[in-house]
Amino acid sequence: MARVVESKKACTVNPLKMSQPLGASFAFLGLDACMPVMHGSQGCTSFGLVLLVRHFKEAIPLQTTAMNEVTAILGGYENIEAALLNIRKRAAPKVIAICSTGLTETKGDDVDGYLVTARQRHPELADTEIIYVSTPDYVGAFEDGFKHAITAIVKSQVKPLPVVAHQVTLLPGSHLTPSDIDELREIIQAFGLNPIVLPDISGSLDGHIATDWRGTTLGGTTLEQIRSAGASAFTLGIGEQTREGAEALETIAGTPLEIFERLTGLACNDRFLQRLSLLSGKPVPAKYRRQRSQLLDAMLDGHFYTGGMKVAIAAEPDLMLALGGLLHEMGAELTCCISTTQSKAHALLPADQVLLGDLEDLEIAGKDCDLLVTHSHGRQAAERLNKPLLRVGFPVFDRVGNAHKVSVGYRGSMNLIFEIANLMIERIAHHHAGDWPITPEAQLATKRLDQRNDPLPSTPLAAASA
Amino acid sequence: MSVSLKAKIAEVFEEPGCDINQGKSEKERKKGCTKQLSPGAAAGGCAFDGAKIALQPVVDVAHLVHGPIACEGNSWDNRHSASSGSTIYRSGFTTDINELDVIYGGEKRLFKSIREIIEKYDPPAVFVYQTCVTALTGDDIEAVCKRAAEKFGKPVIPVNAPGFAGPKNLGNKLGAEAILDYVIGTVEPEFTTPYDINIIGEYNLVGELWQVKPLLDALGIRILSCISGDGRYKQIASAHRAKVNMMVCSKSMINIATKMEQRYGIPYFEGSFYGISDMSETLRQIASLLVKQGADAELIERTERLIEVEEARAYKRIAEYKQRLQGKRVLLITGGVKSWSVVAALQEGGMEIVGTSVKKSTKEDKEKIKEIMGEGADAHMIDDMTPREMYAMLKEARADIMLSGGRSQFVALKARMPWLDINQERHHPYGGYEGMVELVHEIHRAIFNPVWQQVRIPAPWGDDGESLGAVTPTVTTDHLSGIAAKAMGLEPEEIPA
């Protein structure tokens, strides 16, 4: 039931936050044969690109409209038009997704209008879907960009269709890894349901070796799949950030929805499986009953190390709720919670307060904590404070295998508990023989009376124990 | 764009040290050399990125980015420029402006941010970087910095290189201009010696400067300042008292060398720390220029003796790899100075160069490649190679290893061929005699890693991760061959420009 407080600082030190256009581009990377484009100057794209490459260790398709000083003033129509034509010619994507940036929003480019004009002038673009989302850098954060991108995809592509009983739409939040998505798909399919995942980075960013080069995303949700979401019987959203998209689906196709604020931990997964069971009319498969009992055992084994520990966490709202919720259930105390942007998820966080701040705030508050939880940019703070760091979310650039971490479902929750507990076990202090010296008084007490003549020197230790 | 920034860009393009520029007519020169970027087919950083790259290795100052979160939030802590002391340069400082700052202006927030930094961190100076949005809304960072410097009694340096001004390389030079205008010449060194030099355009990536510094120390040559690797504000401020300037990367900050020659009469030369013979040549150049500037002539003899010892030691250490690396074919995708200095280094290790990219190389660079590679050098100079071509070359095993920057690594890795990072994200230092041995050692380690045998074993059931058929090209393959380089941001890159 956390209260949200905004930072009063003028200067952000060691940013936790990343920009909206990057979050939106990330969502578009989960569409098949797509080329995300940032409408801004070249650097806007290159910074985001570098982060994505360092996190996923993959080639990332991401383009720029390469705005310069003149087009920044006069407007970017020509750049958008040139970008569309160039990208279509070079990479032949099925979807071109355009995200605005601080630069073009400040100028006030009317991209919707530009796209209408470009379509009229260039009939050859008819074979390419174009999706636009407004994402100024100076508003919101990564998660907001992702949220708006899902909504933009839904609004531009989905039409109502006759309902297919066993088809559901799964909207994963930006905090889920490719393997998290695979895990959820497997769970849903185990009930005989057919999920349409939107967006699906498990196809495009899961680290596989293809036999050829593509200029676009390789794998992900296809346009046909997106369109067929209009026929789904239900929408399952993972994280508050998917609510806007789920509600757009409800408005367009009348699809009922349920948002699962997190899928890390026991009770929330019980609710998820229960929902799937109701939707499908099938009992929970034996596989998951077994995993559930394994998770229970993991919680019992892990709680010795997590109980009573103080945690400083800095993360995007949904990720923070997913981790903070589980940590709280495992007996940890969330003494410092830093996030990037406003979200309804904060209201559910079992902490007193959420600060919309930066990693300097984490470093200051983290001094008295047992564990720091944030992305790789927290490594300097952890080093300076000599505290263990649980690397979570995006970007994690100093570890490999990020795409394959699973922390949802019973199995993923179990993994997460083990990871946290093991970090704490590593830090258990080892005691030495001299750690508990006998007090001078006690020492004196052990002496023979005739040897007690020389008075004890007054030491701070003696004074303290007196 | 402000008038002063326009004038600054024009001035940077007037560069007398640039031979391309000197070859142009008066009229052409006025046009400058910005190439319009191609929307939808552009890759790489912007001017802001370039300025930050050039100046961030000044380790004891706070680097404050005035703009929305994207500029710093998406980019901080992504380079390995080592420091021997202060680590404040690794902290990300940004004004993270919001909608109200866009409407009412962000100057107040900037001023407050500078104050917060000085109160909390007390660095010897603050560098303030302009960005697109705040330049567009008209925030006058020069004025704010001036006022803050007066108020707080500390240098506050405006770096006026908003992203839309141009590409990364222009940003390097605009960053250098800020150093020239506001820093160099503002502090007198405690003492000077006839053996003082500046090193310009060396960024001390993974500590490479420290592979060279002990050699200079042994000769009694003092690095008065390094601009900017492991740089200190006060040292750079007193750089005008050096006797010689060495340019390491002429593409990035040559304006510092030429202007210091004009203003303070300090001669400069361009050298490289990569490769054994280049390292020796650099030492000779430094020694002879210092002697010309008044140092004792015996410096030259001492330098020669040092070179003899170091070269012998390095060759001996390389020899243990030379036999196994003999005839291994290397594809080198880099740019600028490294297109030749690394070639020389690799040949010293017994390897054959099947190609070196010259896209970002100067005419001199190309001449040097010809000189080093001799007959048939032309055939190996690659102007612009698409990832598709690189991929094909590696896939067909026409090369045994690719050396490049991080962004094209996947071309090699997906072709299941060895790859070694020689650009800014690498973790191994390749400077000086030490670094050359390290480079050969790393190439050896990469090529002979048994993993390559493993990953090339085909699946017994025949399906070897076939592509998912995501894209059906609607255009001819001829067009497609240009896809990935630009579209995927995989075009060859150089450091540090």
PDB file of all heavy atoms in Angstrom, chain A residues 100-121:
ATOM      1  N   SER A 100       7.961   8.320 -31.804  1.00  0.00           N
ATOM      2  CA  SER A 100       8.495   9.683 -31.777  1.00  0.00           C
ATOM      3  C   SER A 100       9.489   9.804 -30.620  1.00  0.00           C
ATOM      4  O   SER A 100       9.557   8.938 -29.761  1.00  0.00           O
ATOM      5  CB  SER A 100       7.365  10.696 -31.624  1.00  0.00           C
ATOM      6  OG  SER A 100       6.736  10.526 -30.374  1.00  0.00           O
ATOM      7  N   THR A 101      10.250  10.906 -30.600  1.00  0.00           N
ATOM      8  CA  THR A 101      11.228  11.134 -29.522  1.00  0.00           C
ATOM      9  C   THR A 101      11.028  12.536 -28.957  1.00  0.00           C
ATOM     10  O   THR A 101      10.148  13.265 -29.415  1.00  0.00           O
ATOM     11  CB  THR A 101      12.668  11.031 -30.057  1.00  0.00           C
ATOM     12  OG1 THR A 101      12.851  12.075 -31.018  1.00  0.00           O
ATOM     13  CG2 THR A 101      12.941   9.694 -30.707  1.00  0.00           C
ATOM     14  N   GLY A 102      11.873  12.900 -28.021  1.00  0.00           N
ATOM     15  CA  GLY A 102      11.789  14.232 -27.441  1.00  0.00           C
ATOM     16  C   GLY A 102      11.942  15.315 -28.487  1.00  0.00           C
ATOM     17  O   GLY A 102      11.226  16.313 -28.501  1.00  0.00           O
ATOM     18  N   LEU A 103      12.869  15.095 -29.405  1.00  0.00           N
ATOM     19  CA  LEU A 103      13.166  16.108 -30.416  1.00  0.00           C
ATOM     20  C   LEU A 103      11.943  16.397 -31.285  1.00  0.00           C
ATOM     21  O   LEU A 103      11.524  17.540 -31.443  1.00  0.00           O
ATOM     22  CB  LEU A 103      14.334  15.632 -31.291  1.00  0.00           C
ATOM     23  CG  LEU A 103      14.705  16.519 -32.466  1.00  0.00           C
ATOM     24  CD1 LEU A 103      15.205  17.870 -31.987  1.00  0.00           C
ATOM     25  CD2 LEU A 103      15.765  15.851 -33.331  1.00  0.00           C
ATOM     26  N   THR A 104      11.351  15.347 -31.840  1.00  0.00           N
ATOM     27  CA  THR A 104      10.255  15.572 -32.784  1.00  0.00           C
ATOM     28  C   THR A 104       8.959  15.946 -32.074  1.00  0.00           C
ATOM     29  O   THR A 104       8.102  16.601 -32.645  1.00  0.00           O
ATOM     30  CB  THR A 104      10.050  14.332 -33.670  1.00  0.00           C
ATOM     31  OG1 THR A 104       9.945  13.178 -32.843  1.00  0.00           O
ATOM     32  CG2 THR A 104      11.224  14.153 -34.612  1.00  0.00           C
ATOM     33  N   GLU A 105       8.827  15.554 -30.803  1.00  0.00           N
ATOM     34  CA  GLU A 105       7.646  15.961 -30.039  1.00  0.00           C
ATOM     35  C   GLU A 105       7.752  17.429 -29.626  1.00  0.00           C
ATOM     36  O   GLU A 105       6.748  18.136 -29.546  1.00  0.00           O
ATOM     37  CB  GLU A 105       7.469  15.083 -28.796  1.00  0.00           C
ATOM     38  CG  GLU A 105       7.060  13.661 -29.098  1.00  0.00           C
ATOM     39  CD  GLU A 105       5.567  13.502 -29.408  1.00  0.00           C
ATOM     40  OE1 GLU A 105       4.816  14.467 -29.188  1.00  0.00           O
ATOM     41  OE2 GLU A 105       5.179  12.418 -29.874  1.00  0.00           O
ATOM     42  N   THR A 106       8.954  17.869 -29.341  1.00  0.00           N
ATOM     43  CA  THR A 106       9.147  19.274 -28.969  1.00  0.00           C
ATOM     44  C   THR A 106       8.769  20.170 -30.134  1.00  0.00           C
ATOM     45  O   THR A 106       8.113  21.196 -29.984  1.00  0.00           O
ATOM     46  CB  THR A 106      10.619  19.528 -28.575  1.00  0.00           C
ATOM     47  OG1 THR A 106      10.962  18.650 -27.510  1.00  0.00           O
ATOM     48  CG2 THR A 106      10.834  20.961 -28.126  1.00  0.00           C
ATOM     49  N   LYS A 107       9.196  19.749 -31.317  1.00  0.00           N
ATOM     50  CA  LYS A 107       8.852  20.501 -32.521  1.00  0.00           C
ATOM     51  C   LYS A 107       7.363  20.357 -32.798  1.00  0.00           C
ATOM     52  O   LYS A 107       6.717  21.273 -33.283  1.00  0.00           O
ATOM     53  CB  LYS A 107       9.699  19.956 -33.675  1.00  0.00           C
ATOM     54  CG  LYS A 107       9.729  20.818 -34.917  1.00  0.00           C
ATOM     55  CD  LYS A 107       8.559  20.537 -35.799  1.00  0.00           C
ATOM     56  CE  LYS A 107       8.237  21.654 -36.756  1.00  0.00           C
ATOM     57  NZ  LYS A 107       6.982  21.362 -37.430  1.00  0.00           N
ATOM     58  N   GLY A 108       6.812  19.184 -32.481  1.00  0.00           N
ATOM     59  CA  GLY A 108       5.395  18.958 -32.688  1.00  0.00           C
ATOM     60  C   GLY A 108       5.065  18.369 -34.046  1.00  0.00           C
ATOM     61  O   GLY A 108       4.043  18.700 -34.646  1.00  0.00           O
ATOM     62  N   ASP A 109       5.907  17.462 -34.530  1.00  0.00           N
ATOM     63  CA  ASP A 109       5.632  16.795 -35.805  1.00  0.00           C
ATOM     64  C   ASP A 109       4.293  16.050 -35.765  1.00  0.00           C
ATOM     65  O   ASP A 109       4.026  15.291 -34.846  1.00  0.00           O
ATOM     66  CB  ASP A 109       6.745  15.777 -36.096  1.00  0.00           C
ATOM     67  CG  ASP A 109       7.892  16.401 -36.868  1.00  0.00           C
ATOM     68  OD1 ASP A 109       7.856  17.639 -37.059  1.00  0.00           O
ATOM     69  OD2 ASP A 109       8.805  15.669 -37.282  1.00  0.00           O
ATOM     70  N   ASP A 110       3.470  16.241 -36.798  1.00  0.00           N
ATOM     71  CA  ASP A 110       2.190  15.550 -36.898  1.00  0.00           C
ATOM     72  C   ASP A 110       2.411  14.260 -37.689  1.00  0.00           C
ATOM     73  O   ASP A 110       2.161  14.184 -38.887  1.00  0.00           O
ATOM     74  CB  ASP A 110       1.173  16.455 -37.602  1.00  0.00           C
ATOM     75  CG  ASP A 110      -0.124  15.716 -37.896  1.00  0.00           C
ATOM     76  OD1 ASP A 110      -0.383  14.665 -37.285  1.00  0.00           O
ATOM     77  OD2 ASP A 110      -0.876  16.194 -38.766  1.00  0.00           O
ATOM     78  N   VAL A 111       2.895  13.242 -36.991  1.00  0.00           N
ATOM     79  CA  VAL A 111       3.297  12.018 -37.695  1.00  0.00           C
ATOM     80  C   VAL A 111       2.092  11.315 -38.307  1.00  0.00           C
ATOM     81  O   VAL A 111       2.172  10.796 -39.429  1.00  0.00           O
ATOM     82  CB  VAL A 111       4.079  11.070 -36.756  1.00  0.00           C
ATOM     83  CG1 VAL A 111       4.482   9.803 -37.494  1.00  0.00           C
ATOM     84  CG2 VAL A 111       5.306  11.773 -36.219  1.00  0.00           C
ATOM     85  N   ASP A 112       0.958  11.310 -37.595  1.00  0.00           N
ATOM     86  CA  ASP A 112      -0.246  10.686 -38.162  1.00  0.00           C
ATOM     87  C   ASP A 112      -0.562  11.294 -39.525  1.00  0.00           C
ATOM     88  O   ASP A 112      -0.832  10.587 -40.496  1.00  0.00           O
ATOM     89  CB  ASP A 112      -1.441  10.870 -37.220  1.00  0.00           C
ATOM     90  CG  ASP A 112      -1.381   9.923 -36.031  1.00  0.00           C
ATOM     91  OD1 ASP A 112      -1.092   8.726 -36.271  1.00  0.00           O
ATOM     92  OD2 ASP A 112      -1.595  10.366 -34.898  1.00  0.00           O
ATOM     93  N   GLY A 113      -0.487  12.609 -39.578  1.00  0.00           N
ATOM     94  CA  GLY A 113      -0.746  13.307 -40.837  1.00  0.00           C
ATOM     95  C   GLY A 113       0.292  12.966 -41.899  1.00  0.00           C
ATOM     96  O   GLY A 113      -0.051  12.724 -43.061  1.00  0.00           O
ATOM     97  N   TYR A 114       1.559  12.938 -41.468  1.00  0.00           N
ATOM     98  CA  TYR A 114       2.638  12.613 -42.407  1.00  0.00           C
ATOM     99  C   TYR A 114       2.392  11.246 -43.046  1.00  0.00           C
ATOM    100  O   TYR A 114       2.640  11.034 -44.244  1.00  0.00           O
ATOM    101  CB  TYR A 114       3.992  12.528 -41.688  1.00  0.00           C
ATOM    102  CG  TYR A 114       4.531  13.828 -41.148  1.00  0.00           C
ATOM    103  CD1 TYR A 114       5.670  13.838 -40.349  1.00  0.00           C
ATOM    104  CD2 TYR A 114       3.915  15.047 -41.437  1.00  0.00           C
ATOM    105  CE1 TYR A 114       6.198  15.010 -39.851  1.00  0.00           C
ATOM    106  CE2 TYR A 114       4.438  16.230 -40.931  1.00  0.00           C
ATOM    107  CZ  TYR A 114       5.573  16.198 -40.129  1.00  0.00           C
ATOM    108  OH  TYR A 114       6.085  17.356 -39.623  1.00  0.00           O
ATOM    109  N   LEU A 115       1.926  10.304 -42.223  1.00  0.00           N
ATOM    110  CA  LEU A 115       1.754   8.943 -42.720  1.00  0.00           C
ATOM    111  C   LEU A 115       0.636   8.889 -43.762  1.00  0.00           C
ATOM    112  O   LEU A 115       0.750   8.169 -44.764  1.00  0.00           O
ATOM    113  CB  LEU A 115       1.480   7.972 -41.564  1.00  0.00           C
ATOM    114  CG  LEU A 115       2.655   7.782 -40.605  1.00  0.00           C
ATOM    115  CD1 LEU A 115       2.293   6.831 -39.477  1.00  0.00           C
ATOM    116  CD2 LEU A 115       3.891   7.260 -41.346  1.00  0.00           C
ATOM    117  N   VAL A 116      -0.403   9.658 -43.533  1.00  0.00           N
ATOM    118  CA  VAL A 116      -1.494   9.709 -44.521  1.00  0.00           C
ATOM    119  C   VAL A 116      -0.943  10.240 -45.849  1.00  0.00           C
ATOM    120  O   VAL A 116      -1.163   9.661 -46.922  1.00  0.00           O
ATOM    121  CB  VAL A 116      -2.643  10.611 -44.000  1.00  0.00           C
ATOM    122  CG1 VAL A 116      -3.686  10.835 -45.090  1.00  0.00           C
ATOM    123  CG2 VAL A 116      -3.284   9.981 -42.769  1.00  0.00           C
ATOM    124  N   THR A 117      -0.181  11.323 -45.767  1.00  0.00           N
ATOM    125  CA  THR A 117       0.403  11.912 -46.977  1.00  0.00           C
ATOM    126  C   THR A 117       1.343  10.926 -47.673  1.00  0.00           C
ATOM    127  O   THR A 117       1.287  10.749 -48.891  1.00  0.00           O
ATOM    128  CB  THR A 117       1.204  13.179 -46.609  1.00  0.00           C
ATOM    129  OG1 THR A 117       0.406  13.968 -45.742  1.00  0.00           O
ATOM    130  CG2 THR A 117       1.570  13.976 -47.838  1.00  0.00           C
ATOM    131  N   ALA A 118       2.192  10.266 -46.868  1.00  0.00           N
ATOM    132  CA  ALA A 118       3.163   9.333 -47.450  1.00  0.00           C
ATOM    133  C   ALA A 118       2.455   8.186 -48.163  1.00  0.00           C
ATOM    134  O   ALA A 118       2.863   7.762 -49.245  1.00  0.00           O
ATOM    135  CB  ALA A 118       4.087   8.794 -46.361  1.00  0.00           C
ATOM    136  N   ARG A 119       1.386   7.708 -47.564  1.00  0.00           N
ATOM    137  CA  ARG A 119       0.609   6.623 -48.174  1.00  0.00           C
ATOM    138  C   ARG A 119       0.016   7.072 -49.512  1.00  0.00           C
ATOM    139  O   ARG A 119       0.007   6.312 -50.476  1.00  0.00           O
ATOM    140  CB  ARG A 119      -0.521   6.199 -47.239  1.00  0.00           C
ATOM    141  CG  ARG A 119      -0.074   5.333 -46.089  1.00  0.00           C
ATOM    142  CD  ARG A 119      -0.791   3.976 -46.196  1.00  0.00           C
ATOM    143  NE  ARG A 119      -0.514   3.120 -45.066  1.00  0.00           N
ATOM    144  CZ  ARG A 119       0.325   2.098 -45.113  1.00  0.00           C
ATOM    145  NH1 ARG A 119       0.989   1.823 -46.222  1.00  0.00           N
ATOM    146  NH2 ARG A 119       0.511   1.341 -44.062  1.00  0.00           N
ATOM    147  N   GLN A 120      -0.496   8.308 -49.525  1.00  0.00           N
ATOM    148  CA  GLN A 120      -1.097   8.827 -50.761  1.00  0.00           C
ATOM    149  C   GLN A 120      -0.046   8.968 -51.853  1.00  0.00           C
ATOM    150  O   GLN A 120      -0.250   8.595 -52.997  1.00  0.00           O
ATOM    151  CB  GLN A 120      -1.744  10.185 -50.501  1.00  0.00           C
ATOM    152  CG  GLN A 120      -3.106  10.078 -49.871  1.00  0.00           C
ATOM    153  CD  GLN A 120      -3.575  11.413 -49.280  1.00  0.00           C
ATOM    154  OE1 GLN A 120      -2.845  12.403 -49.297  1.00  0.00           O
ATOM    155  NE2 GLN A 120      -4.799  11.433 -48.769  1.00  0.00           N
ATOM    156  N   ARG A 121       1.114   9.491 -51.450  1.00  0.00           N
ATOM    157  CA  ARG A 121       2.145   9.760 -52.459  1.00  0.00           C
ATOM    158  C   ARG A 121       2.848   8.493 -52.933  1.00  0.00           C
ATOM    159  O   ARG A 121       3.418   8.467 -54.013  1.00  0.00           O
ATOM    160  CB  ARG A 121       3.196  10.692 -51.863  1.00  0.00           C
ATOM    161  CG  ARG A 121       2.728  12.116 -51.815  1.00  0.00           C
ATOM    162  CD  ARG A 121       3.953  13.012 -51.797  1.00  0.00           C
ATOM    163  NE  ARG A 121       3.638  14.286 -51.225  1.00  0.00           N
ATOM    164  CZ  ARG A 121       4.546  15.142 -50.773  1.00  0.00           C
ATOM    165  NH1 ARG A 121       5.825  14.827 -50.832  1.00  0.00           N
ATOM    166  NH2 ARG A 121       4.189  16.305 -50.281  1.00  0.00           N
TER     167      ARG A 121
END
